[in-house]
């Protein structure tokens, strides 16, 4: 069963209208979506379209990948549990490789995308599927996290700049009722942000945290032209993902419409999931650090200017381990490391053992 025209209006209005109707954090934004066999809106080497090619998890190529089972009968939680400043854990994952591949946007089409820097699963490529990623080798500290994480590669001139060491990928509560957050369904995937967005759209995107940072410079929509030339200075960016799921699809043609950002409950300051995306999932936040400083005038992304930053997530966690981390750290109101340990609450213990595995 496919969404009604009212649910995905942008998909039915055509790519030309979609390109002009992009709103900040809009669920109708196709972003880095797959190339259509018909007309597509191009920009900086990208294609804006609403159709996909049959491949892997989506053999009919219609762009909809149903969840099995679907999650129904959920009402967005409006509860306000005891306040806890933190409800999160980290997935610390290192860079594995780079490639002009994107198994979400261009499945089965190697070399089709701009260059991406991949983290987590070491096998991620254009042909990756849920089954090929699940149980695979990973650079994440927790061996059970075989998910694929990727973003446009960063360059200084023609030289690729890769993050060094484990990068911080937060899993947080995006809603006020952190006790209502449940694990990602196996095979869920989505794109965060939009390579087509303007600087103003990037600045006002729901996922915007502090923009591009270096030294004492914050909230930059574009990559600064210079940063302090010191060993302790790197270029940083933080960006948050939507955390409310429709419970129906693991992916949709624009790779976004099955997900939504929380909304503010009228008359309160509480963040709740909207009624059409009632399932609260962890909110992913990329916190990336690139070892580059000094003269930054030639620094750019493979997708274009700094405000074209976006990233992709393809869930392939082992289910029991992810549930243990979500329950212990997010639902439990803790600030956990990649083991599920909170140094300020040692009495709570850890979700994983010293090898980052379920005990």
């Amino acid at each position: 069963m496919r969404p009604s025209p009212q649910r995905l209006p942008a998909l039915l209005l055509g790519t030309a209208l979609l390109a002009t109707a992009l709103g900040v954090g809009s669920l109708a934004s196709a972003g880095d979506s797959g190339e259509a066999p018909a007309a597509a809106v191009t920009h900086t080497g990208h294609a804006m379209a609403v159709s996909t090619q049959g491949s892997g998890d989506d053999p009919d190529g219609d762009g909809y990948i149903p969840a099995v089972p679907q999650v129904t009968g959920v009402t967005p939680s409006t509860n306000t549990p005891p306040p806890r400043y933190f409800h999160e854990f980290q997935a610390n994952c290192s860079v594995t490789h780079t490639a002009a591949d994107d198994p979400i946007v261009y499945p089965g089409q190697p070399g089709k995308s701009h260059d991406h820097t991949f983290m987590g699963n070491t096998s991620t490529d254009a042909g990756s599927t849920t089954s090929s990623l699940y149980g695979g080798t990973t650079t994440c500290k927790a061996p059970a996290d075989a998910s694929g994480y990727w973003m446009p590669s960063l360059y200084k001139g023609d030289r690729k700049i890769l993050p060094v060491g484990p990068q911080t990928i937060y899993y947080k509560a995006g809603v006020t009722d952190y006790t209502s957050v449940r694990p990602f369904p196996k095979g869920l995937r989505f794109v965060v942000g939009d390579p087509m967005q303007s600087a103003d759209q990037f600045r006002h995107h729901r996922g915007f945290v502090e923009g591009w940072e270096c030294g004492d410079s914050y909230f930059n929509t574009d990559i600064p032209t210079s940063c302090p030339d010191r060993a302790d200075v790197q270029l940083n960016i933080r960006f948050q993902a939507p955390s409310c799921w429709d419970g129906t699809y693991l992916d949709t043609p624009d790779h976004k419409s099955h997900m939504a950002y929380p909304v503010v409950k009228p008359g309160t300051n509480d963040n709740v999931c909207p009624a059409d995306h009632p399932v609260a999932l962890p909110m992913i936040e990329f916190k990336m650090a690139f070892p580059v400083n000094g003269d930054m005038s030639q620094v750019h992304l493979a997708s274009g200017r700094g405000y074209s930053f976006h990233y992709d997530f393809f869930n392939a966690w082992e289910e029991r381990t992810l549930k243990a981390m979500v329950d212990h750290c997010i639902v439990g109101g803790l600030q956990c490391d990649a083991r599920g340990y909170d140094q300020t609450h040692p009495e709570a213990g850890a979700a994983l053992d010293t090898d980052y595995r379920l005990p």
Side-chain angles (χ1 to χ4, degrees), residues 58-183:
D58 181 26
D60 63 3
D62 70 350
Y64 294 97
I65 302 177
V68 181
Q70 295 181 350
V71 177
T72 59
V74 175
T75 301
S77 175
T78 57
N79 295 332
T80 304
R84 298 295 293 265
Y85 190 71
F86 293 104
H87 13 68
E88 64 185 41
F89 67 90
Q90 296 183 22
N92 298 138
C93 308
S94 300
V95 170
T96 57
H97 60 288
T98 65
D101 289 351
D102 191 326
I104 296 177
V105 178
Y106 297 113
Q109 301 174 75
K112 183 72 171 179
S113 73
H114 54 254
D115 198 77
H116 284 110
T117 295
F118 291 87
M119 297 166 288
N121 197 300
T122 61
S123 72
T124 312
D125 61 18
S128 292
T129 63
T130 303
S131 60
S132 74
L133 294 175
Y134 188 81
T137 303
T138 180
T139 60
C140 299
K141 286 187 176 179
D145 184 7
S147 303
Y149 307 89
W150 61 96
M151 59 190 170
S153 296
L154 186 84
Y155 291 83
K156 185 171 186 177
D158 295 330
R159 181 168 62 93
K160 201 174 296 185
I161 307 294
L162 300 179
V164 177
Q167 298 299 294
T168 302
I169 301 169
Y170 290 107
Y171 282 56
K172 300 182 175 183
V175 293
T176 298
D177 184 7
Y178 54 88
T179 66
S180 69
V181 176
R182 64 180 71 191

Side-chain angles (χ1 to χ4, degrees), residues 212-214 217 220 222-227 235 294-297 299:
W212 292 99
E213 313 169 352
C214 67
S217 180
N220 297 290
D222 207 349
I223 297 169
T225 56
S226 65
C227 290
L235 178 67
D295 179 10
M296 305 280 286
S297 60
V299 177

Side-chain angles (χ1 to χ4, degrees), residues 198-213:
S198 67
D200 185 67
Q201 287 174 323
F202 177 63
R203 175 63 182 87
H204 294 95
H205 195 283
R206 289 289 307 277
F208 188 93
V209 181
E210 294 180 350
W212 292 99
E213 313 169 352

Side-chain angles (χ1 to χ4, degrees), residues 41-67:
V41 179
T42 59
H43 174 75
T44 321
H46 296 81
M48 291 273 295
V50 295
S51 63
T52 57
Q53 175 173 304
S55 180
D57 293 330
D58 181 26
D60 63 3
D62 70 350
Y64 294 97
I65 302 177

Side-chain angles (χ1 to χ4, degrees), residues 254-315:
D254 65 357
H255 316 296
K256 295 183 179 184
S257 295
H258 54 309
M259 300 296 297
Y261 285 91
V263 297
V264 178
K265 179 184 176 184
T268 74
N269 292 319
D270 292 348
N271 289 321
V272 299
C273 282
D276 56 354
H277 291 74
V279 185
L281 302 178
M283 180 192 74
I284 286 182
E285 178 183 312
F286 267 33
K287 184 180 180 182
M288 304 289 110
F290 301 90
V292 61
N293 55 32
D295 179 10
M296 305 280 286
S297 60
Q298 300 300 310
V299 177
H300 62 94
L301 294 169
S303 54
R305 300 283 291 272
Y307 47 80
S308 71
F309 182 78
H310 58 287
Y311 62 87
D312 299 50
F313 168 66
F314 195 137
N315 176 44

Side-chain angles (χ1 to χ4, degrees), residues 9-10 12-22 28 41 48:
L12 302 179
L13 290 177
T15 57
L17 180 58
L18 179 61
T20 61
L22 288 174
V41 179
M48 291 273 295

